[in-house]
């Protein structure tokens, strides 16, 4: 694994007495010391979060969109119309291996003269190596921009006011200037409120972060700050409430190398798209062939039930199961799954809510499950991923 570049904002976070947690080898902010206020900022005003765990793989060259369309689960190129995503458009997609298992997920952001794959920073270098093996005569160039670019995000109903931009479509993107810094802004409402992500040169990230705080953190909106720095703890609670599972946390990935041409076909690790709860968002069922498409199409066309699925589980009270806890099947009390994420939701009267990977047939809505939480088995009910 390639070493990760130093976070240009890390020293600022330390000065703000942030508490950190590890994202593999990357340190991210867990909280700036007031998780309840940080949660309230996302829900009522605007939370500013640093994203050193995200990276960019850039593709240039005239064949880049047809090339990606042959590999990814979502449509970025229309073969009949011979046209692709327009500048400012984007889609969410998976890269699969030949067994139909997910090896990476990504936000595909078309910028007109280039295409950005915004994704987990830990996978960028390995994925670039795999994609390079599929380039034969196509005019495509791959560049890992992790050492040059940095990403932060604004989540909350006041995000548009703070950023001074309105992007109506999910995964839409625009180029702008913020504090005399060139910034690409793209939208993804991960937390169920307006979500605006800012990508800029690493050397400019400190200037943008400090100016946003200086301009908006002291401004009052109904007696409260318009903007507050937030950490993973508050963001994680809001994204669970909003029904957004995360690759590598709520569903597993197969080794990136298993997507390479000629790789072994016996990998057993990695979720199928239909197991994630994100199928409709990530997969086009009309675009034609792509890597692993035969498996995905067979499951979809035949209406086959997958062996497991990521589901939402609403607990009966506020006792919180922790990630990794076993899930038991009602009265039988046999192990039928595992909790992957959990939080106590202020918007749901402080009820505990979870994501869990659950075996068939226990992932059907309304199914009662038993889950250990705070020293005893507690009751929970399967429901939609989105709790709000």
């Amino acid at each position: 694994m390639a070493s990760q570049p130093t976070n240009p904002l890390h020293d600022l976070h330390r000065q703000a007495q942030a508490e950190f947690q590890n994202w593999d080898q990357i340190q991210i902010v867990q909280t700036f010391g007031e998780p309840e206020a940080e949660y309230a900022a996302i829900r009522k005003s605007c939370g500013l979060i640093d994203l050193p765990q995200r990276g960019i793989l850039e593709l240039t060259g005239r064949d880049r969109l047809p090339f990606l369309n042959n590999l990814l689960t979502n449509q970025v190129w229309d073969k009949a119309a011979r046209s692709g995503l327009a500048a400012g458009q984007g889609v969410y997609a998976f890269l699969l291996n030949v067994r139909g298992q997910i090896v990476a997920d990504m936000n595909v952001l078309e910028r007109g003269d280039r295409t950005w794959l915004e994704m987990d920073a830990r996978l960028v270098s390995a994925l670039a190596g795999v994609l390079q093996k599929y380039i034969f005569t196509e005019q495509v160039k791959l560049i890992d921009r992790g050492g040059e670019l940095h990403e932060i995000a604004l989540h909350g109903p006041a995000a548009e006011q703070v950023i001074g931009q309105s992007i109506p479509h999910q995964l839409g993107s625009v180029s702008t200037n913020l504090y005399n810094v060139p910034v690409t802004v793209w939208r993804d409402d991960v937390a169920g409120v307006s979500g605006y992500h800012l990508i800029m040169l690493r050397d400019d990230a400190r200037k943008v972060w400090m100016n946003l705080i200086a301009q908006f953190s002291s401004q009052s909106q109904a007696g409260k700050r318009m903007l507050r720095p937030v950490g993973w703890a508050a963001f994680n609670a809001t994204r669970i409430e909003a029904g957004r599972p995360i690759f590598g946390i709520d569903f597993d990935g197969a080794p990136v190398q298993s997507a390479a041409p000629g790789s072994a076909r016996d990998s057993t690790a990695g979720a199928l798209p239909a197991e994630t709860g994100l199928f409709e968002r990530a997969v086009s069922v009309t675009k034609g062939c792509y890597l692993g498409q035969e498996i995905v199409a067979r499951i979809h066309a035949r209406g086959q039930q997958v062996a497991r699925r990521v589901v939402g589980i609403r607990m009966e009270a506020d006792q919180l199961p922790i990630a990794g806890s076993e899930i038991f099947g009602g009265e039988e009390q046999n192990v039928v799954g595992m909790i992957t994420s959990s939080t106590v939701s202020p918007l749901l009267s402080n009820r505990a809510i979870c994501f869990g990977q659950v075996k068939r047939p226990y992932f059907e809505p309304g199914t009662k499950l038993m889950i250990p939480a705070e020293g005893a088995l507690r009751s929970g009910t399967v429901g939609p991923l989105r709790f709000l």
Side-chain angles (χ1 to χ4, degrees):
M1 179 185 297
S3 61
Q4 298 298 330
T6 304
N7 181 357
L9 303 180
H10 187 82
D11 287 344
L12 286 179
H13 303 331
R14 290 186 62 187
Q15 292 169 18
Q17 298 184 324
E19 299 173 25
F20 295 90
Q21 67 182 72
N22 290 328
W23 185 278
D24 197 7
Q25 298 181 15
I26 303 170
Q27 279 200 320
I28 64 173
V29 174
Q30 181 185 51
T31 176
F32 286 94
E34 299 182 79
E36 293 180 355
E38 294 167 33
Y39 172 91
I42 297 174
R43 285 284 169 247
K44 298 179 180 180
S45 53
C46 184
L48 172 65
I49 188 168
D50 186 21
L51 300 172
Q53 72 273 29
R54 303 300 292 178
I56 300 289
L57 178 59
E58 180 177 280
L59 285 78
T60 57
R62 68 182 186 185
D63 298 327
R64 65 186 186 277
L65 290 179
F67 170 76
L68 285 174
N69 201 65
N70 288 333
L71 295 172
L72 303 184
T73 57
N74 219 335
Q75 183 164 339
V76 299
W77 175 262
D78 187 324
K79 294 180 180 179
R82 299 190 62 79
S83 63
L85 295 175
Q89 292 182 326
V91 297
Y92 174 69
F94 298 135
L95 175 72
L96 311 179
N97 60 22
V98 293
R99 294 176 60 89
Q101 299 163 322
I102 300 167
V103 301
D105 75 337
M106 63 205 70
N107 298 298
V108 183
L109 309 175
E110 177 54 36
R111 301 300 308 131
D113 61 343
R114 64 200 63 212
T115 305
W116 281 353
L117 306 184
E118 191 273 349
M119 59 188 301
D120 191 316
R122 298 171 296 181
L123 300 181
V124 173
S125 178
L127 186 65
V130 168
L131 295 184
Q132 185 66 47
K133 295 178 181 180
Y134 284 98
I135 299 174
F136 300 105
T137 60
E138 298 90 349
Q139 292 191 20
V140 180
K141 184 178 180 181
L142 303 169
I143 306 171
D144 181 349
R145 299 294 301 274
E148 304 170 60
L149 301 176
H150 191 77
E151 185 170 3
I152 62 178
L154 298 159
H155 293 286
E160 292 182 2
Q161 184 178 350
V162 170
I163 200 64
Q165 290 281 344
S166 178
I167 302 175
H169 303 294
Q170 293 295 297
L171 300 186
S173 61
V174 298
S175 296
T176 188
N177 277 278
L178 195 62
Y179 308 113
N180 295 316
V181 170
V183 175
T184 298
V185 182
W186 65 281
R187 181 169 183 175
D188 187 14
D189 298 349
V190 184
V193 289
S194 296
Y196 284 79
H197 299 241
L198 285 60
I199 300 173
M200 67 214 77
L201 291 174
R202 292 174 55 79
D203 292 344
D204 293 328
R206 188 183 181 96
K207 178 180 180 181
V208 173
W209 182 273
M210 293 180 68
N211 274 281
L212 284 169
I213 292 175
Q215 181 176 355
F216 295 104
S217 67
S218 61
Q219 290 190 17
S220 176
Q221 186 181 56
K224 300 180 180 179
R225 294 186 191 180
M226 182 181 294
L227 178 145
R228 178 186 291 271
V230 304
W232 174 262
F235 167 77
N236 192 48
T238 58
R239 68 95 185 175
I240 295 171
E241 291 175 329
R244 182 66 69 87
I246 293 181
F247 172 77
I249 294 179
D250 300 301
F251 54 96
D252 305 321
V256 173
Q257 290 75 14
S258 71
S263 61
R265 297 178 175 233
D266 59 354
S267 173
T268 57
L272 300 171
E275 297 174 341
T276 66
L278 297 170
F279 186 92
E280 290 77 11
R281 183 168 177 260
V283 179
S284 168
V285 297
T286 60
K287 69 181 285 276
C289 296
Y290 54 86
L291 187 63
Q293 182 260 349
E294 181 179 350
I295 306 298
V296 176
R298 184 185 309 151
I299 293 173
H300 182 264
R302 297 179 182 176
Q304 291 179 343
Q305 288 275 22
V306 289
R308 59 179 179 173
R309 185 178 295 163
V310 178
V311 298
I313 302 171
R314 186 179 298 225
M315 304 299 292
E316 298 300 325
D318 62 355
Q319 289 86 7
L320 184 66
I322 62 173
S325 297
E326 293 180 329
I327 299 172
F328 296 91
E331 296 180 358
E332 300 88 349
Q333 295 195 7
N334 56 311
V335 177
V336 299
M338 180 185 71
I339 297 295
T340 60
S341 297
S342 63
T343 190
V344 173
S345 171
L347 288 184
L348 297 173
S349 303
N350 290 322
R351 178 172 292 187
I353 57 175
C354 319
F355 291 152
Q357 291 183 16
V358 182
K359 297 177 182 178
R360 185 178 63 192
Y362 296 92
F363 53 56
E364 296 300 332
T367 302
K368 297 292 184 179
L369 302 170
M370 300 300 295
I371 304 164
E374 300 183 20
L377 278 178
R378 314 286 182 177
S379 177
T381 304
V382 174
L385 283 173
R386 189 178 180 93
F387 292 95
L388 297 183

